[in-house]
Amino acid sequence: NAGVTQTPKFRVLKTGQSMTLLCAQDMNHEYMYWYRQDPGMGLRLIHYSVGEGTTAKGEVPDGYNVSRLKKQNFLLGLESAAPSQTSVYFCASSYWASGSSGELFFGEGSRLTVL
Amino acid sequence: SQQGEEDPQALSIQEGENATMNCSYKTSINNLQWYRQNSGRGLVHLILIRSNEREKHSGRLRVTLDTSKKSSSLLITASRAADTASYFCATDQTGANNLFFGTGTRLTVIP
């Protein structure tokens, strides 16, 4: 089992460029999440999805868009990258709503640098 | 911020010693989870404790929860060099639909 797979693992963008991060899970989980991790800030939720075709805003959604067209995939898009979006991005999935009784399964992270 | 706070931010101990890290949070919770993150890797779930539980064990891990003080502690007994990692608490807050992560404790176990 691959679990949660994120691509790409590393990316360097120039300010104003756009890109998409892909998250794929093979555990048939309903819930998927995108977090960003910055030094001293812990993980902060960007967007999440409670099922195929649904998305919702998290704590820090501005500047990002997401789509969940297939249950196994959750895409995170940056429309116009800014240096403040330099971060490590983590995708996670869970069978139940996070915390209800289930754990989150995380990908290995995607390190994005915006110049 | 709805994030929890871990204390200490960094901890360095000798192999074989016990490591204790603490987490404080601000709102009522359904449960609290602890995760581990090795350098450059994703987070891995360690243990979950529900709001009606006071203590839970898993192998060398012992977690306590005091909802009256809004705090939790993670104890790792007989630490090993392989325990070197960052440890995060995450709270499932009442009425929310996601976990709120703390800022983490960086544990270094010296062989």
Side-chain angles (χ1 to χ4, degrees):
Chain A
N1 263 350
V4 179
T5 303
Q6 294 181 228
T7 53
K9 289 182 170 48
F10 301 93
R11 184 74 186 270
V12 178
L13 289 177
K14 294 181 180 179
T15 296
Q17 287 185 320
S18 62
M19 75 158 295
T20 300
L21 297 176
L22 170 63
C23 176
Q25 53 96 1
D26 61 3
M27 296 173 282
N28 202 33
H29 285 168
E30 290 291 337
Y31 297 84
M32 297 187 74
Y33 311 84
W34 275 107
Y35 289 88
R36 60 177 288 173
Q37 184 177 34
D38 302 293
M41 298 291 291
L43 276 79
R44 292 179 293 169
L45 183 66
I46 305 170
H47 286 281
Y48 64 98
S49 168
V50 301
E52 182 178 317
T54 74
T55 63
K57 294 180 180 180
E59 194 180 352
V60 288
D62 293 343
Y64 304 94
N65 58 74
V66 288
S67 64
R68 183 102 181 264
L69 298 180
K70 293 183 178 180
K71 186 177 183 179
Q72 63 267 34
N73 296 336
F74 195 28
L75 279 64
L76 177 71
L78 281 71
E79 297 166 340
S80 179
S84 61
Q85 293 178 304
T86 294
S87 188
V88 182
Y89 292 85
F90 286 97
C91 177
S93 70
S94 66
Y95 186 72
W96 300 104
S98 64
S100 292
S101 63
E103 63 191 87
L104 296 185
F105 293 82
F106 282 85
E108 292 295 289
S110 297
R111 184 175 295 274
L112 174 65
T113 301
V114 183
L115 302 176
Chain B
S1 171
Q2 295 175 293
Q3 291 182 321
E5 294 284 337
E6 276 99 336
D7 172 59
Q9 290 186 342
L11 178 62
S12 184
I13 60 174
Q14 295 288 331
E15 200 166 31
E17 293 181 338
N18 295 342
T20 299
M21 50 206 89
N22 305 295
C23 169
S24 60
Y25 56 92
K26 297 177 181 178
T27 68
S28 61
I29 62 172
N30 297 317
N31 65 60
L32 184 145
Q33 301 181 28
W34 285 90
Y35 286 80
R36 165 194 169 126
Q37 183 181 33
N38 286 4
S39 181
R41 306 296 298 274
L43 281 74
V44 176
H45 180 265
L46 294 176
I47 194 166
L48 179 153
I49 186 165
R50 300 188 187 284
S51 60
N52 61 354
E53 297 175 314
R54 292 295 168 260
E55 188 171 312
K56 202 163 184 180
H57 296 256
S58 176
R60 293 184 296 113
L61 304 180
R62 172 178 167 252
V63 170
T64 62
L65 178 64
D66 187 335
T67 53
S68 66
K69 295 182 179 178
K70 291 186 170 56
S71 67
S72 173
S73 68
L74 172 66
L75 168 68
I76 303 174
T77 60
S79 63
R80 305 165 182 169
D83 293 328
T84 294
S86 292
Y87 293 83
F88 294 87
C89 68
T91 52
D92 171 25
Q93 299 176 5
T94 305
N97 198 25
N98 57 276
L99 291 178
F100 292 92
F101 284 83
T103 51
T105 292
R106 185 170 184 83
L107 172 66
T108 301
V109 181
I110 302 166

